Amino acid sequence: MKEYRHPEWNGEFMLSFEQLNFGRIEFLTGLSEATSRLHDPPVEGSYIYTRDIGLNLTTRVIDGRAASAWFPTQIERWRSPDGSGRLVRRNYPPEFVSVGAARLREADAEHDVQVVDRRVRPGEFSTLQDVWEGVMPLSDDPDDLSRQLISVSGGSARALLGVVKDIYYDLGILGASLRAAILRVLAGVDGLILAGRASDESGRTVFGVSAPVDGQGAQFTLLLDPATGELNGHQEVLVKRAGKLDLEPPGLLSYGERQAWGRTRDTGSRP
């Protein structure tokens, strides 16, 4: 497990994918089969720990002109079975995406790292409670799981990828059988694209599975670990010019990466 550290972006932010000589269905089906043969480690500790870094584009209108910048974050979560625990969020100073973005910093009074460290009430961690009512628990049978995911996402490829991301971020740790079922479902979704192979910000090899460009000109991609079927992160990229947004396509809209996960016995330790 990597030691705790703050985000260290490479200055380019957006992942560049190497094209592959095989397709999405072949890749996801093979990865699903390999993942289903993995053995889950024994459960040790009552808290699920996760550490995620994120980069989100924020745009403000200053003197009638758009000014955009990326705001890096790091979030650590300790979750007990009842959904309670601890959250530590670090908000870092903005990274500039354009000349106009420097004006965004001038408009901010605080530029230092801001830390929020708080206890979480039972059930507060879950982002799935309302939309998933009557759907949970998730099935590890691909056919049943597909019906569950479609009932929540409405069936669009982009929404389905977003639902998969929410599952990983909400539950923290998924067993091998559920990961394998999710991959099998994605293999059967028309319209998804295998973006290729890349290295994420932590230097891990990831494979990107993307949804078609949406009406806002953005493309959403899940970043998968080719050895374990884990979701290592996601990326959203603007590929077409969007109104007055001062971001030239292709430009990064958001990036998220899971750097660490595991189990702990209390909310003061890390795996």
Side-chain angles (χ1 to χ4, degrees):
M1 190 70 65
K2 287 194 172 187
E3 292 185 359
Y4 167 77
R5 65 180 178 83
H6 70 79
E8 296 176 357
W9 305 101
N10 63 11
E12 297 178 356
F13 306 133
M14 189 167 57
L15 301 191
S16 177
F17 291 96
E18 172 191 353
Q19 296 300 306
L20 304 167
N21 59 2
F22 50 85
R24 170 186 57 85
I25 296 176
E26 178 184 356
F27 167 70
L28 290 173
T29 301
L31 182 55
S32 174
E33 293 174 353
T35 300
S36 68
R37 295 191 292 269
L38 298 177
H39 297 287
D40 294 324
V43 175
E44 296 182 359
S46 57
Y47 288 90
I48 294 175
Y49 170 85
T50 56
R51 185 176 79 235
D52 300 287
I53 58 173
L55 196 68
N56 295 286
L57 188 76
T58 296
T59 299
R60 301 177 188 172
V61 177
I62 303 174
D63 296 331
R65 297 182 61 183
S68 301
W70 291 302
F71 282 78
T73 61
Q74 181 183 71
I75 300 176
E76 294 181 283
R77 298 178 177 92
W78 289 260
R79 316 170 193 220
S80 70
D82 68 0
S84 64
R86 177 189 176 198
L87 181 144
V88 179
R89 179 185 181 99
R90 290 173 171 83
N91 298 317
Y92 293 89
E95 302 284 352
F96 303 141
V97 67
S98 66
V99 175
R103 302 165 68 233
L104 193 150
R105 167 174 278 185
E106 294 171 359
D108 283 335
E110 298 291 339
H111 311 306
D112 296 331
V113 178
Q114 299 178 14
V115 180
V116 175
D117 186 343
R118 66 181 181 88
R119 295 290 175 179
V120 175
R121 299 187 304 273
E124 187 180 350
F125 266 132
S126 179
T127 59
L128 305 180
Q129 289 178 341
D130 294 334
V131 296
W132 288 88
E133 186 175 356
V135 177
M136 301 289 273
L138 295 173
S139 173
D140 57 9
D141 177 86
D143 292 334
D144 291 340
L145 180 62
S146 177
R147 286 189 285 270
Q148 289 177 314
L149 299 185
I150 290 174
S151 71
V152 175
S153 67
S156 77
R158 167 60 181 87
L160 188 63
L161 292 189
V163 165
V164 171
K165 176 186 76 70
D166 289 343
I167 290 171
Y168 272 87
Y169 277 66
D170 192 83
L171 299 182
I173 295 178
L174 274 61
S177 60
L178 180 54
R179 299 200 308 271
I182 289 174
L183 294 166
R184 181 71 69 171
V185 171
L186 294 180
V189 176
D190 292 335
L192 292 180
I193 303 162
L194 184 60
R197 176 171 47 214
S199 293
D200 67 13
E201 290 293 333
S202 295
R204 302 169 297 189
T205 297
V206 293
F207 283 62
V209 176
S210 303
V213 179
D214 62 19
Q216 305 300 315
Q219 185 172 57
F220 186 82
T221 302
L222 294 183
L223 307 174
L224 301 173
D225 186 319
T228 65
E230 295 278 2
L231 178 68
N232 281 5
H234 69 278
Q235 173 174 279
E236 188 169 20
V237 174
L238 182 72
V239 296
K240 296 180 180 178
R241 181 174 291 279
K244 297 181 179 179
L245 185 65
D246 63 337
L247 180 66
E248 291 295 329
L252 186 68
L253 294 173
S254 68
Y255 177 85
E257 180 182 304
R258 174 143 295 170
Q259 290 192 316
W261 59 91
R263 290 185 179 270
T264 66
R265 297 188 183 279
D266 55 59
T267 60
S269 58
R270 299 179 177 90

